Amino acid sequence: MRAMRIEGVPASAGYAEGPLFELDRPAGVYASKASSAEETLSLEAAIGKAVSRLVAMVGTADSDAAGILEFHIAMLEDDALSGPAFASIASGKTADAAWRQALDAEIAGYDASDQDYFRARAADLRDIRDQVLRALTEDGDSTAPAGAILCGEDIAPTRFLETDWSHGGGIALKAGSTASHVAMLARSRGVPMVVGLREPLTAGSGMALLDAEHGTIVLAPSLTEIGSFRQASSSFAARQGKAQTFLARPAATKRGTAVRVQVNIADPRDVDAIDIATCDGVGLMRTEFLFGKTLPDEETQYRAYRKVLEWAGEKPVTIRTVDAGGDKPVPGFTVEEGNPFLGLRGIRLSLARLDIFRVQIRALLRAAPHGNLKVMFPMIATSEEYERAAALFAEERAALAARGVAHKMPPLGIMVEVPSVAIAPEAFAGVAFFSIGSNDLTQYVMAAARDNAAVAHLNSVRHPAVLRLVGSVAAFGQENGIPVSLCGDAGGDPASIPSLLEAGLRDLSVAPAQLAMAKAAIADVPV
């Protein structure tokens, strides 16, 4: 076979060399039972086995992975999902056929949607379907060999989490997305991943070379190509090693310009693995992790916020009020919409559900005395939204004071992710700070969904239109004494950092795993 190079989109930088392993393998053969009652018991046992596997994985997962797994557990335990399958068994179908038919019907409905949110839900359902089918057939022949490059249409989060990546390996997908759950997990664990490949792969291709720094895979490579690949891989590893020497140092450009580098976290437990000396604080603490199966009470939220504030000491901790909606549904809080990214999400949803928002506000006010708290509102589009949210903080502060409860009013800022704010920042001259959410700002400016591989080439923070808005917000902040930071994925991308600094930013917030590489990239920028 002649060497073949296929282009794709880098989702998690790195290099992998090994055999291809097909993800889209058919499940094993199910042994039918003698009666409907036995088929029912068989499906119940398989669902239970799948849940047990997920529960075991939750115990060793980090916060991001645990949230995904808990969502799958909740769906498997939902009678509304399994009910149609049990009804089909009662009508004479075998357990595997009934389960596949019921789940495929659900998946087809979501797949047919033109909304990325619903198509993403279909991927979760496919994962759940296949977990139970594997349990039904007791299919044990689906483990990839050590160091293999997993290839296929897409990969389920659970498949990623149960794979042993300690011996290398990577992921190469025909579909997939740089903003998917698996892509985020891959970046946090250093697993090379390429999505949006222009041609399908087949496992019969033998040895493959995955360059997830530039987004290519080479099948049946020549000796010359193998040599060049290994040289590039060694260079990448050397750069990573060199980057570690920057981790404990304050970030500065080649000309000595200081740049603040903070971290993004999704769960209070995340800080247990971070040395506060390596960062300048928390630039984004997401609070959606608290809004899982049940809505959190005030005390639960207070304890979570206090933990992070006490860990950070005098360094700032910027907590974002709940950014539910869009691709982050919350049972009992969010609503299903035809176009959720442009619907009732972020601050819009909080202002529509004051009963829930006031609880979070009180918890934040009570936690503020325990550290250097800053609070920001997501998805702000108009100054009236900010003013309403700030007024609620003032009301709850007065109520706590009347009750003699310890509290403190933190600085209140906004996310700059809706183009209306980036285009006319003067309407928000009264806010305490701006934090640019590059993920949403880019997808709204470019009209290209961040989780759609088909338009991934359009979704770039380095597009002149996006950078012009970033630069104008940074300039407005500097002229008016309003601090400006950036907390999207671009802040930790070495390829984007030079453009962001040249646009005027001097404060970036990145995933903890990206701290060293971000600081190293900053040191190479001549500004």
Side-chain angles (χ1 to χ4, degrees):
M1 177 179 176
R2 294 179 60 185
M4 181 178 182
R5 179 181 298 270
I6 302 174
E7 303 287 332
V9 179
S12 176
Y15 290 78
E17 175 182 344
L20 292 178
F21 180 84
E22 285 192 39
L23 291 164
D24 306 322
R25 297 184 173 198
V29 178
Y30 173 70
S32 60
K33 305 299 182 284
S35 67
S36 293
E38 288 181 84
E39 293 289 356
T40 296
L41 290 173
S42 180
L43 181 55
E44 288 175 345
I47 292 173
K49 184 176 179 180
V51 169
S52 296
R53 283 181 58 250
L54 292 171
V55 169
M57 291 166 68
V58 168
T60 59
D62 57 27
S63 60
D64 286 338
I68 298 167
L69 296 170
E70 287 167 356
F71 176 67
H72 284 204
I73 291 169
M75 293 189 76
L76 279 169
E77 292 177 338
D78 187 351
D79 292 340
L81 185 69
S82 59
F86 286 115
S88 292
I89 289 174
S91 299
K93 284 191 177 292
T94 58
D96 66 323
W99 179 255
R100 184 182 291 279
Q101 177 181 292
L103 270 291
D104 283 351
E106 289 283 332
I107 291 166
Y110 286 112
D111 265 338
S113 172
D114 60 355
Q115 302 300 322
D116 294 308
Y117 163 74
F118 292 112
R119 288 199 298 271
R121 182 73 63 85
D124 284 317
L125 287 170
R126 267 190 288 272
D127 191 359
I128 289 165
R129 176 198 64 194
D130 294 344
Q131 290 174 56
V132 174
L133 288 175
R134 284 171 57 190
L136 278 169
T137 58
E138 298 181 350
D139 183 8
D141 190 29
S142 60
T143 303
I149 297 170
L150 279 55
C151 66
E153 187 71 13
D154 207 345
I155 181 172
T158 52
R159 186 56 184 267
F160 177 92
L161 292 168
E162 67 188 7
T163 299
D164 180 4
W165 299 106
S166 62
H167 301 291
I171 302 168
L173 304 176
K174 181 75 168 61
S177 164
T178 59
S180 69
H181 285 145
V182 171
M184 289 187 283
L185 293 171
R187 287 191 289 270
S188 69
R189 301 189 182 194
V191 177
M193 179 176 177
V194 172
V195 300
L197 291 170
R198 296 176 184 174
E199 297 181 46
L201 304 176
T202 57
S205 305
M207 174 69 69
L209 307 176
L210 181 68
D211 175 355
E213 183 178 16
H214 302 100
T216 64
I217 186 167
V218 178
L219 311 181
S222 66
L223 290 176
T224 300
E225 286 170 318
I226 292 173
S228 298
F229 174 87
R230 290 176 178 171
Q231 190 173 18
S233 178
S234 296
S235 173
F236 179 78
R239 278 180 277 136
Q240 282 191 311
K242 181 182 177 183
Q244 290 301 314
T245 65
F246 289 88
L247 187 59
R249 307 182 203 169
T253 68
K254 188 176 288 187
R255 294 183 181 175
T257 303
V259 178
R260 292 172 52 79
V261 182
Q262 304 184 77
V263 292
N264 300 332
I265 64 171
D267 187 299
R269 293 172 294 182
D270 291 349
V271 302
D272 296 336
I274 305 170
D275 181 354
I276 185 61
T278 63
C279 65
D280 293 305
V282 176
L284 167 64
M285 177 178 173
R286 302 177 179 91
T287 57
E288 294 76 53
F289 74 94
L290 288 166
F291 293 74
K293 294 181 181 178
T294 58
L295 296 174
D297 59 25
E298 183 179 324
E299 196 62 27
T300 298
Q301 295 190 58
Y302 164 74
R303 289 196 301 269
Y305 307 148
R306 177 175 176 173
K307 172 183 171 67
V308 178
L309 286 164
E310 290 180 339
W311 165 82
E314 296 181 355
K315 293 183 177 179
V317 174
T318 303
I319 298 180
R320 182 177 68 190
T321 59
V322 61
D323 187 17
D327 58 349
K328 298 181 281 286
V330 175
F333 187 23
T334 55
V335 295
E336 288 199 358
E337 301 175 282
N339 195 344
F341 276 107
L342 299 180
L344 198 63
R345 60 169 295 204
I347 196 65
R348 303 169 184 175
L349 182 60
S350 292
L351 292 174
R353 292 295 305 273
L354 295 184
D355 54 327
I356 295 172
F357 193 28
R358 286 183 183 276
V359 172
Q360 182 170 42
I361 291 171
R362 288 194 296 272
L364 288 164
L365 289 168
R366 289 176 54 207
H370 298 285
N372 185 2
L373 175 65
K374 300 165 69 178
V375 173
M376 65 180 173
F377 306 127
M379 280 297 291
I380 290 285
T382 68
S383 58
E384 289 78 15
E385 290 170 329
Y386 169 78
E387 290 161 4
R388 285 184 62 196
L392 289 168
F393 266 79
E395 289 176 17
E396 293 300 333
R397 177 190 186 185
L400 289 173
R403 290 162 44 202
V405 177
H407 66 281
K408 182 181 177 182
M409 177 65 86
L412 303 177
I414 64 172
M415 294 281 290
V416 179
E417 49 194 345
V418 178
S420 62
V421 179
I423 292 169
E426 63 275 8
F428 302 88
V431 307
F433 61 91
F434 291 132
S435 180
I436 298 172
S438 59
N439 296 358
D440 273 332
L441 181 62
T442 302
Q443 78 164 346
Y444 290 141
V445 170
M446 300 305 298
R450 66 191 191 199
D451 58 355
N452 187 337
V455 293
H457 62 289
L458 296 173
N459 195 290
S460 172
V461 75
R462 285 173 279 166
H463 188 280
V466 181
L467 286 175
R468 184 176 298 179
L469 290 178
V470 170
S472 67
V473 173
F476 178 82
Q478 187 172 18
E479 292 165 5
N480 292 274
I482 302 174
V484 180
S485 62
L486 182 142
C487 64
D489 288 342
D493 175 19
S496 298
I497 285 172
S499 298
L500 297 176
L501 297 185
E502 288 163 7
L505 289 174
R506 296 294 181 267
D507 192 338
L508 306 175
S509 193
V510 308
Q514 297 173 318
L515 264 173
M517 290 292 277
K519 288 187 175 184
I522 289 167
D524 273 342
V525 181
V527 298

